[in-house]
Every structure is written in structure tokens, then in C-alpha cells.
Amino acid sequence: KDFLVFVTGTDRVPIGGLANLKLTVERMCPDSENLPTSRTCSNLLLLPEYSTKAKLKNKLELALKHREGFGLI
């Protein structure tokens, strides 16, 4: 549910189920300490090219945990 909110901006599944969710994943930059980002208006997930799956998992979990409050009231 957290991932769905992070990428789409809502915790609701689209009508017809997740098969109807058009999600795009793009590379953002070479391996870095940057967190993944998203553009919720277009269901776009931007991921740095992390060197390991463990780093990807760690950074994505951190981004999901702190997904709220960036300049929004």
C-alpha cells in the first residue's frame, strides 16, 4: 500500500485491478546515495542504478517511510 501511494499518490487500486495500473520505471542516475523519487501524476518511478539489490531495497524502504511532508502542508 505504501508503494502504491509513493508511485501513484493514492492508496486505491484502479478500477479493474492492478493489471490496469500503467507504471513506468526509469533510471535516474548512476549509483549514488540518492533516494528513489516518483512523479505521481504520470505513475513514474525514478530509480538510481544501485549497485546491489540490498541497496535498492534499503533506499526504497527509506523513501517509502519518509514519503510525506516534503514541503506539503
Side-chain angles (χ1 to χ4, degrees), residues 41-59:
C41 57
S42 57
N43 298 342
L44 176 64
L45 177 64
L46 299 164
L47 290 173
E49 293 183 53
Y50 297 118
S51 55
T52 65
K53 286 183 182 182
K55 188 172 183 179
L56 167 63
K57 183 178 185 244
N58 182 358
K59 295 294 184 182

Side-chain angles (χ1 to χ4, degrees), residues 3 41 56 68 70:
F3 180 76
C41 57
L56 167 63
E68 294 179 3
F70 292 99

Side-chain angles (χ1 to χ4, degrees), residues 1-12 21-24 36-46 64 67-68 72:
K1 200 170 188 179
D2 290 337
F3 180 76
L4 189 61
V5 172
F6 183 72
V7 177
T8 68
T10 181
D11 63 352
R12 306 289 181 197
L21 178 64
K22 295 181 195 265
L23 174 67
T24 305
T37 60
S38 66
R39 301 222 169 106
T40 57
C41 57
S42 57
N43 298 342
L44 176 64
L45 177 64
L46 299 164
L64 295 178
R67 73 178 186 273
E68 294 179 3
L72 301 174

Side-chain angles (χ1 to χ4, degrees), residues 14 18 20 23-24 27-28 30 36 43-44 60 62 64 73:
L18 289 175
N20 290 333
L23 174 67
T24 305
R27 285 182 252 164
M28 185 169 70
N43 298 342
L44 176 64
L60 188 54
L62 190 60
L64 295 178
I73 298 176

